[in-house]
Amino acid sequence: MSGHSSFQSNNAIVKWIEYRLPIFSFVNEALVVYPTPKNLNYWWNMGSLAGVMLVVQIITGVVLGMHYTPHADLAFDSTEHIMRDVNYGWLLRYMHANGGSMFFAVVYIHIFRGMYYGSYKAPRELLWWLGIIIFILMMATAFMGYVLPWGQMSFWGATVITNLFSAVPILGETIVAWLWGGYSVDQPTLNRFFSLHYLLPFVIFAVVFLHLWALHVHKSNNPLGIDIKGPQDTIPFHPYYTVKDLYGMGVFAIIFAWLLFFAPNLLGEPDNYIPADPLVTPTHIVPEWYFLPFYAILRAIPDKLFGVIAMFASLFILFVLPWLDTSKVRSARFRPVYKMLFWAFFVDCLVLGYIGGQPAEGIFIVIGRLGTALYFLFFLSLPFIGWFERPRKLPASISTAVLESHGGGGTPDGAAAKAEDRG
Amino acid sequence: MLRSVLIAALAALFVSSVSAGALASSNAEHPKELKWSHGGPFGTFDRASVQRGLHVYRETCSGCHGLKYIAFRNLLEIGLSEDQAKIIAAEYTVKDGPNDEGEMFERPGKLFDYMPAPFANDKAARASNNGALPPDLSLIVKARKGGENYIYSILTGYMEPPADVTLAEGMAYNPYFPNHQIAMAPPIDDQTVEYVDGTENSKEQIARDVVSFLAWTAEPTLEARKRLGVKVMLYLFVLTLVLYGVKRKVWAKMH
């Protein structure tokens, strides 16, 4: 972000601006000549995709906000007005609703990638922290956004989740009334959720900027998890990763478009097409899919207060991950025990997601509790794994590993493919 | 290329596995599976069936169920002429006003009016229906799990209750409904309505037509969505193929 610049221009206007505000050299250093490890695989596409999704959500959201009315009597009608009477309103709304799902999908893969390749380890702890903060802000934003159409699941989801705070000893009821702005989820709640739902994405935007700032100090981690040792290990971001990111965006856009145009309600709950009714509780109150693992953890604990604590702990434990993991080796590729545990953890998250969508009864309760225990066990076992695990031999450098892996041709990131494709 | 396909497949698997997780259990029987002309990526509404469905709705459903998001002007979208829509609108009485004297008055419906509700309010609706509230049907196809198939199964699924079931006062037996007891009396039967276009007016055909109509009221923009979707997909396939080629070419220089 500082230091001498390789940027040169003969254009008088560019030079005039550059002298006063060095924006051209800034972009040049951040996106053009920016040195990037030459062995990044496609799992490294998720960061830029998440950035694109944030912009898509803000643009569609701002336009939706022009047609939406945050009033308990009008919110549902105004949503249908958008679907029926606003030009391409259906496109905007489906793009925004499914865009939220795509955003979370990409961010989840991004987080799992960071965990698999040890991207959270020194010196990237703050980069990791900023990422978790973005994730938590996203969850708050998505939760409040889901309330806005004021359907049955909006209303009852809001009621259930805000009620969690009533588990706080002594002050619980006061906090909940304060959150609601009254004695139940009602007009004041909807109004403030709209206000905050509009605000938080810009806060996320600011934290994304910090996230990128921290990233650019020590550069990207890579599938080998070893440091960049010199210019022979890197390639300029442009054109190599700009074109790779663009190709990834194409593939991503195809999946997004399929969901948006041909199955726009696949991930939604039919109940949310019923207007909110405080007198009728839906049989099963289910949050959006991206909250299901956490919802499962919440319900796994029979006590309300401890359930809430477990749910928040399952998120906040991510903050201490860099210190729980005592291994000096970053990439799971060289850590046989951690690699197995990682995949077990991944499957456990999917199982918890499934359980979160089921009614809390019978075998589902047992599996939910087992899954919750395994979730925390994964994190708590990491210090010990780091001590007894014998990691495999690390390559001398990124460039030697890349050269060895494709003596006879193939893509530059062929090494990554071999290790990752069986996932 | 293989790797990107794998990644795409993984992503799809991930999405479908969690969406399947959201299904909740219920003691209702699984709805009958039908093919609908508006299903699939290229689906369009069967105009004739939707128009017959409008007729069914007006003859048998509209006494209890509203359709508040549908205006008479919308009927042009299912192939009615402006004159036909105006005639239908005029058959309804709409409250308007206040006029210059400050009085509310009644007048025949016009194209810009929305379908008038059958009851003045929910309490009036309950009072006339043994305590049950007939839901507005505008969004019913999107507001129930199983969508079209579910509504069709409810309409055609009424039967005599099994011997061990005692029905509550004023309820009917329907295995497709949660808990099997439904407050709506069987609304359609063979020959419940007359069709002017010579279509057989069997119970199944009537149900199919009215469900087609309700699928349209739930999402009148469905055809526009799918039309645009096909174009966008084609465009994205070509664009992504080109980007893949560019990526290969740029990275080939690495060697």
Side-chain angles (χ1 to χ4, degrees):
Chain A
M1 288 233 158
S2 58
H4 77 99
S5 173
S6 64
F7 178 75
Q8 298 289 333
S9 175
N10 293 322
N11 185 306
I13 298 170
V14 170
K15 282 204 299 214
W16 188 91
I17 296 171
E18 178 71 17
Y19 183 67
R20 286 152 183 85
L21 178 75
I23 192 162
F24 292 101
S25 56
F26 175 81
V27 171
N28 185 53
E29 274 161 48
L31 285 172
V32 182
V33 295
Y34 177 66
T36 313
K38 52 167 61 165
N39 60 336
L40 298 188
N41 58 33
Y42 278 99
W43 298 116
W44 262 263
N45 278 47
M46 299 302 147
S48 65
L49 286 177
V52 167
M53 280 321 294
L54 176 61
V55 174
V56 167
Q57 291 301 82
I58 289 179
I59 293 173
T60 52
V62 165
V63 183
L64 285 169
M66 295 175 189
H67 300 282
Y68 168 80
T69 313
H71 188 286
D73 295 336
L74 303 170
F76 192 91
D77 287 353
S78 71
T79 308
E80 277 308 309
H81 161 68
I82 289 169
M83 290 298 288
R84 288 157 197 268
D85 296 328
V86 174
N87 289 331
Y88 291 99
W90 58 269
L91 180 62
L92 286 166
R93 176 166 173 257
Y94 278 156
M95 201 185 261
H96 197 72
N98 288 294
S101 283
M102 295 305 284
F103 196 0
F104 270 98
V106 160
V107 163
Y108 276 126
I109 298 172
H110 192 63
I111 295 171
F112 279 121
R113 190 272 284 149
M115 290 178 71
Y116 186 85
Y117 294 110
S119 302
Y120 48 83
K121 291 186 192 183
R124 296 188 182 83
E125 300 96 324
L126 282 183
L127 174 59
W128 175 253
W129 274 27
L130 290 164
I132 304 164
I133 291 169
I134 293 169
F135 177 49
I136 293 171
L137 286 170
M138 275 175 68
M139 293 176 99
T141 310
F143 163 66
M144 289 190 275
Y146 192 64
V147 176
L148 301 184
W150 211 239
Q152 271 291 69
M153 217 44 101
S154 297
F155 180 88
W156 289 99
T159 302
V160 169
I161 300 301
T162 49
N163 250 319
L164 294 180
F165 292 92
S166 69
V168 176
I170 306 165
L171 289 174
E173 298 296 329
T174 318
I175 294 173
V176 174
W178 176 72
L179 287 173
W180 285 341
Y183 298 100
S184 67
V185 173
D186 206 339
Q187 176 57 37
T189 329
L190 175 61
N191 226 150
R192 66 189 53 188
F193 277 18
F194 177 61
S195 169
L196 293 172
H197 182 72
Y198 210 124
L199 168 72
L200 286 185
F202 299 98
V203 179
I204 293 177
F205 206 90
V207 185
V208 166
F209 183 79
L210 295 176
H211 191 65
L212 287 174
W213 189 0
L215 172 72
H216 283 219
V217 176
H218 291 286
K219 315 290 185 261
S220 295
N221 183 29
N222 64 83
L224 296 171
I226 55 178
D227 289 331
I228 296 168
K229 300 211 168 80
Q232 73 281 2
D233 287 346
T234 66
I235 44 177
F237 191 82
H238 182 74
Y240 294 104
Y241 287 108
T242 37
V243 72
K244 195 169 173 177
D245 278 357
L246 278 174
Y247 165 54
M249 266 168 222
V251 175
F252 172 81
I254 288 172
I255 302 169
F256 186 12
W258 174 79
L259 196 62
L260 162 61
F261 288 108
F262 302 120
N265 294 307
L266 175 72
L267 300 170
E269 278 295 315
D271 271 22
N272 227 28
Y273 281 110
I274 305 171
D277 186 346
L279 300 175
V280 181
T281 318
T283 20
H284 299 292
I285 300 173
V286 191
E288 290 277 86
W289 69 265
Y290 36 81
F291 292 133
L292 290 176
F294 301 100
Y295 194 53
I297 291 174
L298 168 78
R299 296 192 303 178
I301 316 287
D303 180 86
K304 188 176 179 184
L305 176 59
F306 285 100
V308 174
I309 291 173
M311 186 182 73
F312 281 107
S314 67
L315 261 178
F316 286 101
I317 201 165
L318 291 169
F319 280 111
V320 286
L321 178 59
W323 294 276
L324 283 175
D325 188 346
T326 48
S327 173
K328 291 276 174 278
V329 178
R330 291 198 190 100
S331 175
R333 200 178 283 177
F334 304 102
R335 301 187 57 193
V337 182
Y338 176 75
K339 189 195 245 176
M340 272 183 346
L341 278 179
F342 170 85
W343 287 113
F345 174 75
F346 177 74
V347 172
D348 187 45
C349 288
L350 292 186
V351 169
L352 281 173
Y354 172 77
I355 295 297
Q358 300 302 319
E361 58 195 32
I363 186 76
F364 297 134
I365 297 180
V366 182
I367 301 174
R369 289 186 183 157
L370 222 63
T372 302
L374 283 176
Y375 182 95
F376 288 104
L377 215 62
F378 167 76
F379 289 100
L380 298 178
S381 68
L382 289 180
F384 309 103
I385 306 296
W387 290 327
F388 77 75
E389 184 182 51
R390 304 265 322 253
R392 283 197 248 134
K393 192 174 171 299
L394 292 173
S397 74
I398 294 172
S399 59
T400 52
V402 169
L403 286 174
E404 272 166 28
S405 73
H406 65 274
T411 54
D413 49 349
K418 257 175 251 144
E420 299 320 316
D421 271 358
R422 28 146 207 61
Chain B
M1 194 65 185
L2 177 72
R3 192 138 34 103
S4 1
V5 172
L6 260 168
I7 292 172
L10 252 175
L13 189 80
F14 183 67
V15 167
S16 61
S17 71
V18 279
S19 72
L23 284 173
S25 68
S26 156
N27 63 353
E29 219 164 289
H30 200 79
K32 302 168 189 174
E33 304 240 348
L34 277 80
K35 277 194 93 68
W36 299 93
S37 74
H38 57 272
F42 302 99
T44 52
F45 289 116
D46 177 346
R47 292 286 188 289
S49 176
V50 171
Q51 288 185 22
R52 286 195 300 271
L54 166 68
H55 177 61
V56 178
Y57 167 76
R58 295 183 62 213
E59 293 282 309
T60 62
C61 319
S62 62
C64 301
H65 296 280
L67 212 51
K68 66 178 196 172
Y69 293 118
I70 296 299
F72 295 108
R73 64 180 160 81
N74 295 129
L75 298 178
L76 302 182
E77 297 161 27
I78 56 169
L80 265 65
S81 71
E82 198 169 320
D83 287 334
Q84 285 173 311
K86 276 180 177 164
I87 290 169
I88 291 177
E91 288 172 21
Y92 290 83
T93 306
V94 173
K95 198 170 195 182
D96 201 349
N99 61 16
D100 292 344
E101 282 76 48
E103 309 287 337
M104 299 303 282
F105 61 94
E106 289 187 335
R107 60 162 174 79
K110 298 196 164 144
L111 283 184
F112 54 75
D113 287 316
Y114 283 78
M115 292 270 194
F119 299 103
N121 51 59
D122 285 0
K123 291 226 166 119
R126 281 187 195 276
S128 311
N129 287 283
N130 196 20
L133 177 67
D136 186 272
L137 294 184
S138 312
L139 281 163
I140 201 78
V141 166
K142 277 159 83 175
R144 294 292 182 275
K145 279 203 170 76
E148 293 88 344
N149 288 339
Y150 172 77
I151 307 296
Y152 177 88
S153 302
I154 289 288
L155 291 176
T156 56
Y158 285 87
M159 55 165 69
E160 286 300 312
D164 58 334
V165 173
T166 331
L167 289 177
E169 171 84 21
M171 303 294 260
Y173 188 81
N174 194 321
Y176 297 97
F177 196 71
N179 299 321
H180 303 178
Q181 300 207 23
I182 184 167
M184 174 170 70
I188 49 174
D189 210 334
D190 292 336
Q191 282 110 43
T192 296
V193 294
E194 294 290 326
Y195 282 147
V196 285
D197 65 355
T199 307
E200 187 204 354
N201 54 355
S202 65
K203 181 168 83 174
E204 286 74 20
Q205 185 61 43
I206 294 170
R208 177 176 263 285
D209 290 340
V210 78
V211 171
S212 290
F213 172 68
L214 293 176
W216 170 75
T217 64
E219 191 159 334
T221 53
L222 176 140
E223 288 182 353
R225 161 161 68 81
K226 292 186 175 182
R227 262 201 316 273
L228 184 59
V230 171
K231 286 184 209 155
V232 169
M233 289 302 261
L234 281 174
Y235 172 80
L236 285 176
F237 276 126
V238 173
L239 176 73
T240 307
L241 214 66
V242 170
L243 287 173
Y244 178 68
V246 176
K247 192 257 164 193
R248 289 286 299 226
K249 198 162 161 32
V250 166
W251 280 76
K253 284 188 231 153
M254 282 273 290
H255 308 292

